[in-house]
Amino acid sequence: MTEINENTLLSGVKGGPDGSRPTILVIEDNLMMLRTLTLILNKQGYKVVEARNGKEALMALKEQHYDLVLTDLMLPYANGYEIIGKLKENIEQRQIPVIILSAVHDEEAVLDGFGIGADDYVKKPFTPGELLSRVSRLIDK
Amino acid sequence: MDKIFNDYFQWPVFIKLAAAVSVIAVIGGGLVYLFILLWRRKGYINDRKKARLLPEMRELIVKHVILAKGDVPLEAVTFPLDDFRKLGIRKADVRRFFVEELMEYRRNFSGRPRQLLTRLYTDLGLHHITEKNLTCKRTQGIISALNELISMGVPVNEDKVLPLLDHENRYVREGARCYFVKLSEDRPFFFLEKISTPLLYWEQIEMFRIITQRKDVEIPDFSRWISSEYHPSVISFCLKLAVYYQQFETGPAMMKLLDTENEKLRARLINALGKLMVEKAESRLVAMYCDQPWSCKQEILKALGRIGSGNSLVFLRDKFETEQEIPLVKHAAKSIVNHRALSENLLREMQAGAVGLKHTVLQHAANPLIKY
């Protein structure tokens, strides 16, 4: 784990004004995917906070500011739409970009996601390169 | 102890029986609890082992497969196989954990990482054990082996999968069909020849999904299976595929089968003829209308609207005016509307003359927002 979690900033990841790394909240109920996403994002130089369900995600959102939220749709306690809805209701947090990462492919789900305020939608299966480029594009914005 | 045994034989018969049943029940209950305890202990040990191994497995997979550099050609990528072997994948349980992880990664990642996961699986020789399991006696073992090969996208010697198409277990047969559709290079549709029991709806949906997603396969002419020699569920499945791939050449085979006694199959044939807009079938459909059951009549009216040649407008008008059942009247009206420019004058004339319910049905059918 240590090798992948090392705090090296790779090219493409810009630190904050104080040199801090961008922080991403990853919400995913599949533990394998959650750990993998963390490893991928860590390796790219992002700081990651993990949440395994809607309840944990809402608590994590109260605790600190994030530069991006990456969420699944099907989650226990509160689904992805509810989390995004709560986030967008909050004046302080509504600017945080949100990416939905989901295996739900139908057009309706995608449109609902954008309708509720998501900034991007990545369909599973995906390539790490595709995800990272979308993440960096939104964080750089 | 001796006293108990001596006394036992002197007890009345029903007491003896009751005592024997109680003793058996206590011993049986104890054994069941012991079994559960051992089972749970095994599960607990497995979970602990898995929890210990998974982080290491994931780190290796992510580092060497998911985040492998993209500038090296796929064939030139090498994996540190010894590092993977050090995880202990020779042991059956560790191998199972590892393969489950690979399958899960393959489900979630696409493109190059997906191909590399398959390469890693074969480079480690994990498919050899799976291939052996195809001939094992345990049904569950065969199903798992087929599922593993399909999930990992690894084709093996087809002669080993071929007998499984006739296996006595339905799930094995289904797995073998999926294997052929998904992985066979030469004969992905061979399974259609072997179907003798109904191909269930959900099996058809799964097969349809796999076939239509596979881009590297040459799509055959499905009229070959649209024949009375094959099971009605096979014909029905091939009709859907013929429509999906717009195989207009299947029209004659469909028309040959219109005399079938199977009402559901006939309705599906008519539906497919309509969707493929087989104009040659129009006169035949009109001629057979009167002798058909309700479901086929409805499909005929819909099909004539889809074909939309204009030759059946008089027939459709007649059905609109004479049919007593509202759904049939509605479909006749909709089919007239579907003729668009060809039926404009007729529709205007009908709207002027229609009153009451017929007028409402016409208004309803003419509304482009209502689809049925």
Side-chain angles (χ1 to χ4, degrees):
Chain A
M1 292 292 268
T2 45
E3 198 180 337
I4 285 180
N5 276 323
E6 65 186 353
N7 296 340
T8 48
L9 279 176
L10 302 181
S11 59
V13 177
K14 292 172 187 170
D18 55 348
S20 61
R21 295 184 294 161
T23 310
I24 299 174
L25 174 63
V26 179
I27 313 163
E28 170 69 70
D29 60 337
N30 177 338
L31 191 62
M32 177 281 237
M33 274 309 289
L34 182 64
R35 292 287 138 82
T36 305
L37 288 168
T38 304
L39 286 172
I40 292 170
L41 293 165
N42 276 160
K43 179 92 175 160
Q44 207 61 16
Y46 297 107
K47 214 166 128 186
V48 174
V49 175
E50 297 177 341
R52 286 193 67 183
N53 55 51
K55 211 191 271 179
E56 280 181 25
L58 293 171
M59 277 168 64
L61 280 167
K62 280 180 193 162
E63 281 167 13
Q64 69 174 95
H65 174 81
Y66 296 96
D67 296 287
L68 186 129
V69 173
L70 182 61
T71 180
D72 191 4
L73 281 182
M74 306 297 187
L75 293 162
Y77 302 116
N79 66 33
Y81 295 124
E82 290 173 68
I83 295 166
I84 301 169
K86 289 256 164 68
L87 188 78
K88 297 295 169 183
E89 277 171 16
N90 187 327
I91 299 169
E92 288 170 13
Q93 292 182 322
R94 66 167 54 144
Q95 299 306 321
I96 301 174
V98 178
I99 298 178
I100 294 174
L101 178 64
S102 174
V104 184
H105 281 208
D106 58 89
E107 197 186 333
E108 206 179 321
V110 179
L111 292 177
D112 284 349
F114 284 121
I116 209 155
D119 297 87
D120 211 338
Y121 197 110
V122 179
K123 292 173 186 174
K124 288 180 194 168
F126 62 99
T127 60
E130 178 194 0
L131 178 73
L132 288 171
S133 68
R134 289 173 193 242
V135 166
S136 74
R137 181 182 64 85
L138 282 171
I139 288 184
D140 290 350
K141 241 184 185 178
Chain B
M1 205 66 168
D2 285 344
K3 192 175 179 301
I4 295 172
F5 274 108
N6 288 336
D7 288 352
Y8 177 80
F9 291 109
Q10 286 160 17
W11 290 341
V13 179
F14 64 93
I15 300 278
K16 270 190 211 169
L17 268 175
V21 168
S22 305
V23 169
I24 291 168
V26 168
I27 293 171
L31 284 175
V32 168
Y33 271 109
L34 190 70
F35 179 74
I36 292 171
L37 202 72
L38 289 174
W39 186 260
R40 284 192 178 172
R41 188 171 176 272
K42 194 182 165 193
Y44 171 73
I45 292 170
N46 263 346
D47 287 349
R48 276 188 60 179
K49 199 171 182 181
K50 198 173 178 181
R52 187 169 49 80
L53 284 167
L54 281 184
E56 210 178 330
M57 281 181 186
R58 283 178 187 149
E59 192 184 318
L60 279 172
I61 295 171
V62 170
K63 188 177 169 189
H64 298 292
V65 183
I66 306 296
L67 292 176
K69 283 182 183 168
D71 49 3
V72 185
L74 206 67
E75 309 77 45
V77 175
T78 51
F79 303 109
L81 296 179
D82 286 336
D83 291 352
F84 283 101
R85 286 190 185 116
K86 272 181 201 161
L87 294 168
I89 49 172
R90 278 170 197 243
K91 291 178 192 160
D93 51 350
V94 180
R95 180 194 179 278
R96 186 164 47 82
F97 301 152
F98 185 69
V99 172
E100 277 170 9
E101 281 299 292
L102 289 181
M103 281 155 65
E104 185 69 12
Y105 273 103
R106 242 184 139 257
R107 263 193 291 276
N108 284 290
F109 288 94
S110 60
R112 194 179 156 89
R114 197 176 158 89
Q115 290 167 306
L116 286 177
L117 284 163
T118 305
R119 268 277 314 280
L120 176 64
Y121 178 78
T122 49
D123 283 4
L124 285 168
L126 295 169
H127 60 301
H128 295 310
I129 299 168
T130 318
E131 200 173 344
K132 270 184 199 162
N133 286 346
L134 289 175
T135 49
C136 79
K137 283 182 182 167
R138 276 175 50 244
T139 307
Q140 195 50 48
I142 304 173
I143 295 169
S144 302
L146 283 168
N147 181 36
E148 194 176 310
L149 291 171
I150 294 166
S151 302
M152 292 310 300
V154 177
V156 291
N157 184 356
E158 275 180 18
D159 292 340
K160 286 197 175 167
V161 190
L162 208 59
L164 302 179
L165 285 170
D166 295 320
H167 197 274
E168 56 185 15
N169 185 291
R170 188 161 65 81
Y171 296 105
V172 174
R173 289 200 303 270
E174 194 199 326
R177 285 173 203 152
C178 280
Y179 173 90
F180 270 94
V181 174
K182 213 165 185 182
L183 298 174
S184 175
E185 281 173 20
D186 309 327
R187 41 187 179 178
F189 295 96
F190 181 70
F191 76 97
L192 289 169
E193 307 279 349
K194 292 277 188 175
I195 292 173
S196 52
T197 52
L199 194 58
L200 303 176
Y201 276 130
W202 63 273
E203 287 179 308
Q204 290 187 28
I205 292 168
E206 183 61 13
M207 292 289 179
F208 187 88
R209 190 185 62 80
I210 298 171
I211 292 170
T212 51
Q213 278 179 359
R214 209 178 150 178
K215 303 292 175 211
D216 61 329
V217 65
E218 195 183 327
I219 301 299
D221 179 354
F222 289 107
S223 51
R224 181 175 155 193
W225 293 284
I226 302 173
S227 150
S228 53
E229 290 165 42
Y230 294 95
H231 195 279
S233 62
V234 174
I235 302 173
S236 180
F237 179 59
C238 289
L239 289 175
K240 284 177 204 149
L241 287 165
V243 170
Y244 180 84
Y245 288 107
Q246 292 285 291
Q247 291 189 344
F248 303 106
E249 62 276 19
T250 52
M254 290 180 195
M255 284 169 67
K256 260 190 201 171
L257 267 184
L258 277 176
D259 291 328
T260 177
E261 285 180 10
N262 185 330
E263 184 188 318
K264 279 185 185 169
L265 181 62
R266 208 181 318 129
R268 284 188 194 126
L269 283 160
I270 298 166
N271 180 290
L273 283 167
K275 283 183 176 163
L276 286 174
M277 295 192 274
V278 183
E279 218 175 307
K280 279 183 187 168
E282 220 177 354
S283 54
R284 175 89 186 274
L285 294 178
V286 171
M288 67 192 276
Y289 182 86
C290 291
D291 308 324
Q292 296 305 312
W294 193 87
S295 60
C296 293
K297 278 186 174 176
Q298 186 174 295
E299 288 301 337
I300 290 174
L301 293 174
K302 279 157 82 174
L304 294 175
R306 283 176 182 140
I307 296 168
S309 66
N311 298 331
S312 317
L313 279 172
V314 178
F315 171 80
L316 288 170
R317 183 183 185 169
D318 177 55
K319 293 303 141 202
F320 173 75
E321 283 165 357
T322 57
E323 277 295 351
Q324 297 302 310
E325 296 212 42
I326 293 300
L328 294 179
V329 175
K330 201 174 77 173
H331 282 296
K334 188 70 181 174
S335 290
I336 293 170
V337 173
N338 282 347
H339 277 73
R340 298 169 193 275
L342 289 174
S343 64
E344 257 177 29
N345 292 335
L346 176 68
L347 207 60
R348 221 173 288 129
E349 192 187 313
M350 282 167 71
Q351 272 169 340
V355 284
L357 189 61
K358 297 267 165 149
H359 186 260
T360 314
V361 172
L362 268 183
Q363 296 277 83
H364 180 81
N367 187 340
L369 296 176
I370 299 171
K371 288 181 180 169
Y372 54 89

